[in-house]
């Protein structure tokens, strides 16, 4: 630990690089999931989605990413275990960042929408359980995360299914769906503004110490919904029906109305996501920074310097720009065919699920929630509209995420541990089992039979 404290600047540079890699993976995978529905529904082009994400993800991550973050991500491991060996916490968090970052880059390159939250959780559990001890892991918390694999996609799918059915009944099944859409969509816009504001207050701005009561956050959410609805009405007034386009597709003009709605949804989701999920990258980085800044003393909370948030924000933007298109294509086009109305239902269903889960304290994955929402929209048209082959590949990647992150983290942890040499406080070799030959207990066979030994049992 002494060498680490003497070279704290070098350690922070190494940790910052690992944090940037993790943030890059978050941008390439999680952000692409959030924007994939808008791109797949053709409400936004890939370039437009990247530009929106660059502005709003960066703003959310840097401005509302949090001044104080729990050192141990979501209470997965017990910090007290590392009081005597704080350098193990540094090695472990560094290993977790590298492991989760590498896995996310590989998954993003393959176009697999996996969970960044579960990647970092699996990595932390891996090094703690194998490198430190099984008792260092809070297995109850891990169990709730595994349970969220099922609950969050199901809830998001159910809500998205109900939303797209309401769109069909209130808008698409009428004689003049375009005029009907201009009357109904402002109410959907209010709902979008309400939910996204609630997401931002509950999951995002709490990191800057903005703790609101349920009533206060609800009032602000109503105000946010009213603002979004007012802006939406202004934009909708400029949209006119296109009879030529409606000849090829009856709802072409209607979908243009919903495309306006999806622009608002994409901007708000990008800000809320950046303000919350940047913690996946900077949380372990904050733990390393805290240990080094406090001279090896482990605290329950770590103050995040502004440069740490900047590293996370830049990594998210860079990852989306470089690898985001692959995952966006999977979520937006390969699971089922999306239109702006279907994409709106999927994004709002996912956002609502995040709000409900936040209220109950259930740790969920944005990825699992969004994919479940897209599946729910597809089910509204029948199972034949779903690409079951792609869905099976996505489910397999979900199952592999935790063990993949854990295995890589274990390997990196022992690599760093090996570089530091043996722990002088622990016995090694023969002395590990018996410190002194004189203190070594004699085996029972030495005492029987006595005539063969030639001495009496003491």
């Amino acid at each position: 630990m002494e060498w680490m404290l003497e070279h704290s600047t070098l350690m922070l540079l190494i940790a910052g690089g690992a944090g940037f890699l993790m943030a890059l993976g978050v941008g390439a995978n999680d952000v692409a999931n959030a924007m994939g529905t808008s791109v797949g529904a053709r409400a936004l082009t890939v370039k437009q989605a990247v530009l929106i994400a660059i502005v709003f993800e960066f703003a959310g991550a840097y401005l509302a990413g949090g001044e104080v973050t729990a050192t141990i991500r979501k209470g997965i491991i017990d910090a007290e275990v590392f009081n005597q060996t704080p350098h193990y916490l540094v090695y472990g968090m560094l290993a977790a960042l590298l492991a989760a970052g590498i896995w996310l880059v590989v998954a993003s390159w393959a176009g697999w929408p996996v969970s960044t939250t579960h990647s970092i959780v699996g990595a932390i559990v891996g090094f703690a359980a194998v490198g430190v001890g099984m008792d260092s892991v809070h297995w109850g918390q891990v169990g709730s995360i595994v349970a969220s694999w099922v609950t969050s996609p199901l809830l998001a799918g159910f809500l998205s299914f109900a939303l797209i059915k309401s769109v069909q009944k209130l808008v698409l099944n009428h004689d003049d769906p375009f005029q009907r859409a201009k009357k109904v969509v402002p109410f959907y816009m209010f709902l979008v503004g309400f939910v996204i504001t609630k997401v931002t207050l509950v999951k995002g701005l709490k990191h800057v110490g903005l703790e609101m009561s349920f009533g206060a956050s609800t009032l602000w959410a109503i105000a946010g919904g009213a603002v979004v609805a007012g802006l939406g009405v202004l934009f909708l007034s400029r949209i006119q029906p296109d009879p030529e386009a409606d000849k090829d597709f009856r709802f072409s003009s209607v979908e243009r109305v919903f495309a306006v709605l999806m622009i608002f949804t994409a901007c708000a989701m990008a800000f809320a996501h950046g303000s919350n999920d940047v913690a996946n990258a900077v949380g372990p980085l904050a733990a390393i920074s805290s240990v080094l800044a406090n001279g090896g003393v482990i605290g329950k909370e770590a103050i995040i310097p502004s440069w740490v948030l900047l590293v996370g924000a830049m990594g998210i933007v860079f990852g989306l720009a470089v690898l985001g298109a692959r995952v966006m294509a999977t979520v937006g086009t390969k699971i089922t065919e999306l239109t702006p109305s279907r994409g709106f239902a999927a994004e709002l269903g996912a956002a609502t699920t995040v709000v409900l889960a936040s209220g109950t304290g259930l740790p969920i994955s944005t990825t699992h929630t969004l994919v479940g929402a897209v599946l729910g929209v597809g089910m509204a048209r029948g199972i034949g509209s779903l690409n079951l082959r792609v869905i099976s590949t996505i489910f397999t990647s979900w199952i592999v995420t935790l063990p993949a992150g854990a295995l890589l983290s274990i390997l990196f942890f022992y690599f760093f541990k090996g570089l530091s040499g043996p722990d002088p406080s622990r016995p090694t070799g023969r002395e590990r089992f018996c410190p002194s030959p004189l203190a070594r207990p004699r085996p029972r066979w030495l005492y029987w039979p006595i005539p063969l030994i030639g001495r009496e049992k003491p």
Side-chain angles (χ1 to χ4, degrees):
M1 189 67 201
E2 289 76 12
W3 182 93
M4 192 178 297
L5 293 176
E6 292 175 359
H7 300 81
S8 58
T9 302
L10 176 61
M11 290 300 302
L12 285 176
L13 287 175
I14 296 174
F20 183 85
L21 176 65
M22 176 62 189
L24 186 149
V26 173
N29 209 282
D30 245 19
V31 179
N33 284 323
M35 306 301 292
T37 49
S38 299
V39 174
R42 298 181 183 86
L44 296 171
T45 64
V46 175
K47 291 183 179 180
Q48 290 171 337
V50 171
L51 289 175
I52 287 176
I54 286 175
V55 174
F56 288 92
E57 286 280 347
F58 186 90
Y62 188 66
L63 298 178
E67 294 296 332
V68 181
T69 293
T71 298
I72 309 303
R73 176 66 179 160
K74 291 187 180 294
I76 299 300
I77 57 178
D78 187 0
E80 294 181 358
V81 175
F82 299 92
N83 286 335
Q84 302 301 320
T85 55
H87 55 293
Y88 282 179
L89 179 62
V90 175
Y91 295 152
M93 289 301 180
L94 187 59
L97 285 172
L98 288 173
I102 290 173
W103 168 247
L104 288 174
V105 169
V106 171
S108 301
W109 182 264
W112 301 334
V114 298
S115 168
T116 59
T117 303
H118 292 182
S119 298
I120 194 67
V121 166
I124 292 175
V125 168
F127 92 81
V130 177
V132 181
M134 298 290 286
D135 293 339
S136 64
V137 180
H138 294 160
W139 293 105
Q141 186 75 7
V142 176
S144 65
I145 293 173
V146 173
S148 72
W149 287 357
V150 179
T151 55
S152 61
L154 284 178
L155 180 57
F158 173 78
L159 292 175
S160 300
F161 181 89
L163 283 169
I164 193 61
K165 284 294 186 181
S166 71
V167 170
Q168 292 174 355
K169 183 176 181 179
L170 297 176
V171 178
L172 301 181
N173 293 340
H174 282 257
D175 296 333
D176 191 352
F178 177 78
Q179 293 299 327
R180 184 71 176 179
K182 296 190 75 171
K183 294 179 180 178
V184 173
V185 164
F187 292 98
Y188 285 128
M189 288 184 169
F190 171 82
L191 190 58
V192 168
F194 177 86
V195 172
I196 297 303
T197 304
K198 194 77 171 177
V199 170
T200 304
L201 293 174
V202 175
K203 292 281 284 181
L205 297 181
K206 68 178 182 180
H207 293 299
V208 297
L210 184 59
E211 295 289 345
M212 286 190 177
S213 63
F214 179 82
S217 62
T218 301
L219 290 176
W220 278 104
I222 292 174
V227 170
V228 171
L231 291 174
V233 170
L234 179 63
F235 281 103
L236 289 178
S237 63
R238 302 178 181 180
I239 298 179
Q240 301 299 324
D242 187 352
E244 294 297 325
D246 289 341
K247 291 180 180 178
D248 298 327
F249 177 50
R250 181 190 174 194
F251 303 115
S252 177
S253 298
V254 175
E255 296 297 349
R256 289 172 58 205
V257 175
F258 279 96
V260 175
L261 174 58
M262 287 210 71
I263 295 174
F264 287 95
T265 307
C267 294
M269 278 296 291
F271 181 87
H273 178 271
S275 65
N276 178 66
D277 277 20
V278 70
N280 286 332
V282 304
L285 183 55
I288 297 173
S289 176
S290 174
V291 173
L292 296 176
N294 295 328
V297 178
I298 298 177
K300 293 183 179 180
E301 291 187 339
I303 304 299
I304 302 184
S306 59
W307 70 266
V308 174
L309 289 175
L310 185 62
V311 167
M314 293 177 62
I316 285 176
V317 170
F318 187 76
L320 176 64
V322 174
L323 290 174
R326 294 174 179 265
V327 180
M328 278 194 280
T330 300
V331 176
T333 62
K334 295 182 179 180
I335 297 177
T336 189
E337 182 183 0
L338 290 177
T339 62
S341 59
R342 298 169 193 160
F344 143 75
E347 283 196 347
L348 184 55
T352 305
T353 303
V354 171
V355 172
L356 294 176
S358 300
T360 59
L362 179 67
I364 67 170
S365 164
T366 307
T367 302
H368 293 187
T369 304
L370 277 168
V371 171
V374 173
L375 290 176
V377 170
M379 286 296 294
R381 300 169 55 218
I383 195 170
S385 64
L386 299 174
N387 190 330
L388 298 181
R389 184 175 181 179
V390 172
I391 294 171
S392 64
T393 302
I394 292 174
F395 284 173
T396 302
S397 69
W398 289 1
I399 296 173
V400 173
T401 292
L402 268 178
L407 178 60
L408 288 173
S409 180
I410 292 167
L411 294 176
F412 280 120
F413 178 74
Y414 278 107
F415 172 75
F416 294 133
K417 190 177 177 182
L419 289 179
S420 65
D423 189 349
S425 65
R426 293 190 176 187
T428 59
R430 186 177 181 181
E431 293 181 355
R432 181 179 179 183
F433 302 97
C434 187
S436 169
L438 297 177
R440 184 165 59 248
R442 297 173 182 176
R444 293 182 61 86
W445 63 268
L446 283 177
Y447 305 129
W448 188 89
I450 293 178
L452 294 180
I453 303 299
R455 56 187 298 184
E456 294 183 356
K457 179 178 178 181

